[in-house]
Amino acid sequence: FTSSNKVDYCALESLIEWYLSHNVHGLFAVCQSSEMFALSDKERTELARFIVQQVDGRVPVIASGNLSDTINAQIEESHRMAETGVDAVVLLSNRFTSQTEPDDEWKRKVGQLLRALPHVRFGLYECPYPYKRLLSPELLAWCASTGQFLFLKDTSCDLGQIEAKLRAVEGTSLRVYNANTATLLDSFKLGVSGFSGVMANFHPDLYVWL
């Protein structure tokens, strides 16, 4: 950020080029590392659009799209994010329901969003803030069956859960990415498609090599 608390786009341009020079396979443009909960909807949209334009097709770019509190606002927000040109709009798993609401209510609201945006491709992120809602293998299989989800950023940090999720989406177009360094190598052996975690901010070379 600049001294006036605005996004420092000159610094961001340099950071993008640094990541690309280290051969990352994609960029998560609006995420917790982007201070997304401290940005306005307008700032998040502008941020994603700038990164898409700067990357210019060299790698895929994804961005979170549903930080609002109501499903109607999330639909509008996700639509605006899709219009920035990102390759996928990432849905935070904890924004649809409270911690105590059941999976059926989660599916109802997600289904409403998918029907409103039938041509948008989505990802899923088990974001730990404000609470972590891990997806069951059964719920992930339902997501895969819609045909609109491309990937999950798994934050369970648990090989048993990762393996169960991989089995649940086997034969579908939904891919699982691990956010946890400690379990990454073993999860690669199980079949995860890549790493999507905060530590890649600092040493992406390691994950590219691995």
Side-chain angles (χ1 to χ4, degrees), residues 190-204:
L190 292 173
V192 300
S193 295
F195 179 71
S196 179
V198 65
M199 296 311 296
N201 292 0
F202 309 106
H203 42 251

Side-chain angles (χ1 to χ4, degrees), residues 14-195:
S14 297
L15 183 62
I16 292 168
E17 294 305 322
W18 186 83
Y19 284 133
L20 295 177
S21 72
H22 286 74
N23 301 311
V24 299
H25 299 133
L27 291 175
F28 197 162
V30 177
C31 59
Q32 285 219 99
S33 300
S34 319
E35 305 292 349
M36 62 181 178
F37 290 105
L39 300 177
S40 68
D41 178 52
K42 183 174 184 290
E43 287 174 318
R44 290 192 294 267
T45 303
E46 290 175 349
L47 179 66
R49 183 175 289 110
F50 177 87
I51 294 172
V52 167
Q53 291 173 352
Q54 180 66 28
V55 170
D56 193 26
R58 287 177 284 177
V59 296
V61 176
I62 61 176
S64 301
N66 68 323
L67 277 72
S68 298
D69 293 327
T70 68
I71 187 61
N72 288 332
Q74 290 180 39
I75 290 170
E76 294 174 4
E77 186 180 16
S78 296
H79 177 67
R80 287 192 295 271
M81 189 57 73
E83 290 187 324
T84 66
V86 294
D87 293 278
V89 175
V90 182
L91 301 180
L92 311 184
S93 61
N94 58 17
R95 302 306 295 172
F96 295 103
T97 53
S98 68
Q99 289 177 270
T100 57
E101 289 180 285
D103 284 352
D104 283 346
E105 178 63 10
W106 191 94
K107 286 168 63 174
R108 185 186 71 80
K109 289 184 176 178
V110 172
Q112 183 179 342
L113 185 147
L114 296 181
R115 288 190 296 274
L117 303 171
H119 303 300
V120 177
R121 293 297 170 259
F122 296 99
L124 291 158
Y125 172 24
E126 295 171 333
C127 183
Y129 178 86
Y131 81 95
K132 185 185 288 191
R133 190 179 188 106
L134 297 176
L135 302 182
S136 68
E138 294 77 18
L139 195 56
L140 189 62
W142 175 84
C143 292
S145 73
T146 69
Q148 284 185 252
F149 287 102
L150 301 179
F151 64 90
L152 166 72
K153 177 176 177 175
D154 178 275
T155 66
S156 69
C157 309
D158 183 283
L159 286 170
Q161 292 192 47
I162 291 172
E163 185 173 18
K165 290 174 180 176
L166 286 167
R167 287 200 302 268
V169 300
E170 190 173 1
T172 75
S173 59
L174 195 155
R175 300 290 177 259
V176 177
Y177 288 76
N178 191 354
N180 178 243
T181 298
T183 57
L184 182 60
L185 178 57
D186 286 331
S187 72
F188 273 141
K189 295 175 181 177
L190 292 173
V192 300
S193 295
F195 179 71

